[in-house]
């Protein structure tokens, strides 16, 4: 399994931890715990709850894939606890349905050092994106100084592969 970005793993963990069986009738957010419910509401069947679960995963996966050139929707779906029914074919190989649930990346999309730093877990820098800009300056020493960094997918993927993730 591919390593997810810090934010992708946190989102997957949150999706996995939720009880989706009464998502159609309750709007009490991440605090919901059926064990401590005073009011019992109708529950979805396992299949219905699984459908809500996979749809939530896809919505979050879309946002992540739009900002992370290395995002792996299959690894995210697995980490989020999506049922094998959606994730795998009968022979156990990854289902194309998981890919089909998100829109493809836009051609020509660019990334900023600040976006990439956040993906790597650098959320509290005094100068957001500095760790990425430092890497870029070392990698591209002949680049014109003070020009705004706009990275293509290949450059962004290189940053994500070479700048250490913050734990």
């Amino acid at each position: 399994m591919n390593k997810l970005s810090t934010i992708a793993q946190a989102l997957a963990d949150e999706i996995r931890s939720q009880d989706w069986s009464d998502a159609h009738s309750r709007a009490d957010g991440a605090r919901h715990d059926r064990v401590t419910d005073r009011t019992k509401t109708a529950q979805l069947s396992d299949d219905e709850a699984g459908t809500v679960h996979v749809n939530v995963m896809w919505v979050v996966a879309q946002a992540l894939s739009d900002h992370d050139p290395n995002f792996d929707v299959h690894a995210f779906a697995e980490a989020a606890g999506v049922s094998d029914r959606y994730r795998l074919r009968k022979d156990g190989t990854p289902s194309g349905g998981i890919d089909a649930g998100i829109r493809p990346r836009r051609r020509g999309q660019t990334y900023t050092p600040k976006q990439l730093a956040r993906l790597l877990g650098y959320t509290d820098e005094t100068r957001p994106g500095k760790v990425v800009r430092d890497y870029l300056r070392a990698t591209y020493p002949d680049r014109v100084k003070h020009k705004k960094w706009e990275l293509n997918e290949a450059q962004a993927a290189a940053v994500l592969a070479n700048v250490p993730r913050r734990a």
Side-chain angles (χ1 to χ4, degrees):
M1 181 171 81
N2 292 347
K3 178 152 171 76
L4 297 173
S5 68
T6 304
I7 189 68
Q9 187 61 59
L11 291 167
D13 292 345
E14 188 63 33
I15 291 168
R16 178 186 285 274
S17 73
Q18 297 303 309
D19 176 356
W20 299 104
S21 64
D22 60 355
H24 67 295
S25 62
R26 295 185 65 106
D28 55 355
R31 300 173 315 158
H32 177 57
D33 181 0
R34 287 190 63 81
V35 174
T36 60
D37 276 354
R38 282 183 268 150
T39 305
K40 301 296 180 192
T41 57
Q43 284 187 266
L44 297 173
S45 70
D46 288 344
D47 284 346
E48 291 167 328
T51 300
V52 171
H53 190 167
V54 74
N55 277 306
V56 168
M57 182 280 304
W58 273 323
V59 168
V60 174
Q62 184 65 55
L64 290 168
S65 71
D66 285 346
H67 295 284
D68 181 352
N70 291 330
F71 181 73
D72 181 339
V73 67
H74 291 278
F76 184 69
E78 182 178 5
V82 170
S83 168
D84 289 353
R85 173 178 149 223
Y86 291 99
R87 291 187 320 96
L88 304 173
R89 293 185 181 103
K90 289 183 183 183
D91 66 3
T93 60
S95 167
I98 289 294
D99 294 304
I102 59 173
R103 294 181 302 275
R105 289 187 182 106
R106 298 183 307 261
R107 288 205 142 159
Q109 182 173 355
T110 60
Y111 302 86
T112 66
K114 185 176 178 180
Q115 284 176 310
L116 298 174
R118 266 189 265 126
L119 288 170
L120 292 165
Y122 295 89
T123 57
D124 60 352
E125 292 179 296
T126 55
R127 293 177 53 210
K130 183 175 183 323
V131 68
V132 172
R133 287 191 304 278
D134 289 346
Y135 165 80
L136 292 169
R137 288 183 192 113
T139 305
Y140 305 102
D142 297 334
R143 186 174 180 279
V144 176
K145 291 184 188 270
H146 307 294
K147 182 179 176 190
K148 183 179 176 182
W149 289 99
E150 289 186 358
L151 307 169
N152 62 32
E153 278 200 28
Q155 292 168 319
V159 166
L160 294 174
N162 292 296
V163 174
R165 293 182 187 275
R166 182 177 260 176

